[in-house]
Amino acid sequence: MSTSYKVKFWEHRVRLDRRMPYMVRWTVAGKEFSESYLTKTQADGRKSVLIVAARAGEPFDTVQGLPVSELREPDVTTWYQHSRNYVKARWKGAPAKTRTTWADALASVTFEMVSSKAGMPDKRIVRRALYTWGFNVNRWEQEPPPDVEKALAWIARNSLLVSDLSEAKMMRRMLEAASVLLDGKKAAPSTVLRKRRILHHVLGRAVEDGLLSANPLPQIQWQPPDIDEEVDPEVVVNPEQAAALIAEVGRQGKVGPSLQAFFGCMYYAAMRPAEVVQLERARCVLPETGWGRLILNASSPRVGSSWTDDGASHDARGLKHRAAKATRPVPIPPELVALLRAHLERYGTAADGRVFQTGPGGFVQESTYGRIWKQARSAVLNEADQATSLARRPYDLRHACVSLWLNSGVDATEVARRAGHSVAVLLRVYAKCIHGGEDQANELISQRLGRNAAKAPPKGA
């Protein structure tokens, strides 16, 4: 290695016509080197690091132009940079919703994975900057707002090295950060476990990249929170209540009538909202009488335009937990057939064939159907029921549908198929909503005891 102490720095060169317009320039033994950055703040930060190394008397490599310490350290990658590398490597082709979960998990811990909090901007600003820009690849080539740029620059300067995370205390700090909200309250158990799974994978990637010798997360004594996945029976409406609520939706102003069949799909076909908004007319079999059929093949969860590849607010995907081209045929009762036929006769379809649309042909928004549902619920339920969680969310209609199928004696395998669940998940999630099971079991036991009594020899024989 050839080194030199003759290091000279020049002013930045700015070329606004380039993607990375700010160029840091310096020479080592008369040989010119440069690095380009998106913002002036980033360029200033890099130049400061190089100047500190030169003033400390550190030799620079004459081939690469870098301080020797940067060449000798195999693990100079920071947690922030490694996390960004992880997101970038997995970004292409990933569902937009999955991208948001990565960003959420990483943003919730990264502002704690720092060497010092001196000069740290407000943590809410840092958290927002990390979520909306730091871990959103779609925005990396855009100029961030000043407060975001400042927060990210601070994180980049103070982020711990990945090698520092091998210490147990750092892993405990990470898990604690993943377990609380910004206001200090405990996060939901399912949220904590989801974040831990993501962080475990990110650290595993660090092992794969040679930044850590082993994943330190499993080595920590940590008690995962208990998760109650079962649906609370209190949220489940009966058929009469469901029909009354859906009818009341049709009386809610100009928008309500266009959403009756929307809510009907959730209750009578156990459809997820993201599946309903993507339902196409061509996949609806709606006879004049009797049962019909929906052939579901797609969903479009709303995630925000900055997370999708095409800039749309909804991310068109295949069915949840299914292969990309999988379909799910769902028989539908005459009640839903009638709702859909009436809806199509009155409103037609969107230009792309979707059954449900806003006035301009866009996707039905959560804010809209959530508001209408809240109004209908207030009109139908009495004060006592309104104070409970009964049908508090539109999604509870799906729970009510699955519960109805199970309580009607439909085989669990068929219920799981129609709802798009595995049988194991179905029985675990809806265990408390299967009414009548105890009475049936008692009857079977009584019958068996009765048979045994009949076969028993008479007393004294």
Side-chain angles (χ1 to χ4, degrees):
M1 179 189 297
S2 174
T3 63
S4 175
Y5 293 94
K6 295 180 179 181
V7 183
K8 183 178 180 179
F9 295 92
W10 294 346
E11 292 297 322
H12 297 333
R13 176 177 292 164
V14 182
R15 296 182 174 179
L16 297 179
D17 60 327
R18 296 192 176 186
R19 188 174 66 85
M20 299 287 192
Y22 296 93
M23 182 183 294
V24 180
R25 302 184 299 153
W26 72 99
T27 63
V28 178
K31 185 178 180 180
E32 184 177 347
F33 297 91
S34 66
E35 294 177 353
S36 296
Y37 294 88
L38 179 64
T39 67
K40 185 176 183 299
T41 301
Q42 294 170 341
D44 288 341
R46 178 53 173 161
K47 184 177 180 180
S48 297
V49 170
L50 296 173
I51 289 175
V52 168
R55 288 178 178 175
E58 187 174 338
F60 278 55
D61 177 57
T62 59
V63 176
Q64 300 184 52
L66 299 176
V68 171
S69 61
E70 292 191 12
L71 300 177
R72 289 176 178 170
E73 289 287 348
D75 55 356
V76 294
T77 303
T78 64
W79 165 254
Y80 176 55
Q81 185 58 54
H82 171 66
S83 298
R84 282 166 60 89
N85 293 343
Y86 172 88
V87 171
K88 183 178 181 180
R90 304 193 67 198
W91 190 266
K92 186 176 181 180
K97 190 65 176 178
T98 300
R99 295 170 178 175
T100 66
T101 61
W102 295 337
D104 181 48
L106 293 169
S108 66
V109 303
T110 296
F111 67 82
E112 293 291 347
M113 299 292 99
V114 293
S115 56
S116 170
K117 290 191 176 181
M120 177 180 173
D122 182 88
K123 66 179 182 180
R124 288 175 175 78
I125 295 176
V126 177
R127 171 70 173 76
R128 176 170 59 84
L130 287 167
Y131 178 79
T132 59
W133 290 83
F135 299 122
N136 186 338
V137 175
N138 285 350
R139 282 183 160 172
W140 285 1
E141 294 188 4
Q142 302 175 17
E143 187 76 24
D147 60 338
V148 171
E149 182 178 26
K150 180 180 178 181
L152 295 181
W154 185 89
I155 285 289
R157 289 195 304 271
N158 292 277
S159 181
L160 290 169
L161 297 179
V162 174
S163 57
D164 294 333
L165 303 183
S166 58
E167 299 181 28
K169 64 179 182 180
M170 294 303 176
M171 286 297 94
R172 292 194 184 94
R173 184 194 297 182
M174 178 179 286
L175 290 173
E176 289 172 2
S179 301
V180 298
L181 305 175
L182 274 173
D183 58 7
K185 296 180 181 179
K186 290 184 177 180
S190 58
T191 299
V192 176
L193 290 182
R194 183 185 69 245
K195 289 181 178 180
R196 188 191 182 280
R197 284 194 294 269
I198 294 172
L199 296 171
H200 182 275
H201 202 268
V202 176
L203 290 165
R205 183 61 180 259
V207 176
E208 182 180 329
D209 292 346
L211 303 175
L212 289 170
S213 59
N215 193 326
L217 200 56
Q219 303 173 23
I220 304 303
Q221 296 283 339
W222 182 70
Q223 181 64 40
D226 293 329
I227 294 183
D228 184 5
E229 294 182 286
E230 296 179 350
V231 171
D232 184 354
E234 191 175 67
V235 309
V236 177
V237 291
N238 60 41
E240 293 73 26
Q241 291 170 322
L245 285 164
I246 292 172
E248 183 61 35
V249 165
R251 294 188 280 270
Q252 300 303 313
K254 295 181 179 180
V255 178
S258 67
L259 293 174
Q260 276 189 287
F262 185 93
F263 290 115
C265 286
M266 290 190 223
Y267 180 67
Y268 293 110
M271 293 175 66
R272 300 177 175 91
E275 295 169 345
V276 182
V277 299
Q278 189 61 39
L279 179 64
E280 298 175 0
R281 173 63 183 93
R283 294 186 171 274
C284 303
V285 180
L286 306 173
E288 292 186 6
T289 60
W291 281 65
R293 181 180 296 268
L294 302 179
I295 306 172
L296 309 182
N297 71 323
S299 65
S300 290
R302 187 179 187 279
V303 290
S305 59
S306 67
W307 298 97
T308 59
D309 293 330
D310 58 4
S313 60
H314 286 76
D315 186 30
R317 311 295 301 184
L319 297 174
K320 188 175 182 181
H321 304 314
R322 295 293 185 272
K325 296 184 178 180
T327 60
R328 191 172 86 239
V330 181
I332 58 174
E335 289 85 351
L336 180 54
V337 172
L339 285 172
L340 285 169
R341 287 176 65 91
H343 176 90
L344 289 166
E345 182 178 351
R346 181 172 181 179
Y347 299 103
T349 64
D352 60 0
R354 282 179 294 107
V355 173
F356 301 102
Q357 59 177 317
T358 60
F363 285 87
V364 178
Q365 301 297 315
E366 293 176 28
S367 58
T368 300
Y369 69 73
R371 173 175 55 83
I372 296 298
W373 182 253
K374 184 177 181 181
Q375 293 170 354
R377 184 176 182 271
S378 297
V380 171
L381 301 184
N382 58 42
E383 291 187 6
D385 285 337
Q386 288 183 47
T388 70
S389 57
L390 179 66
R392 182 166 292 172
R393 308 171 305 158
Y395 201 96
D396 292 330
L397 288 175
R398 171 175 157 84
H399 294 325
C401 179
V402 175
S403 300
L404 174 67
W405 290 344
L406 288 170
N407 293 331
S408 299
V410 180
D411 182 76
T413 302
E414 176 62 10
V415 173
R417 187 199 64 76
R418 295 188 184 197
H421 273 311
S422 68
V423 175
V425 170
L426 176 80
L427 296 178
R428 183 172 71 247
V429 172
Y430 289 93
K432 293 180 180 178
C433 296
I434 304 176
H435 300 298
E438 182 177 320
D439 292 340
Q440 183 179 8
N442 290 346
E443 179 63 25
L444 292 173
I445 293 171
S446 295
Q447 291 176 9
R448 181 61 176 166
L449 289 174
R451 287 197 296 273
N452 286 342
K455 294 179 181 179
K459 187 175 181 180

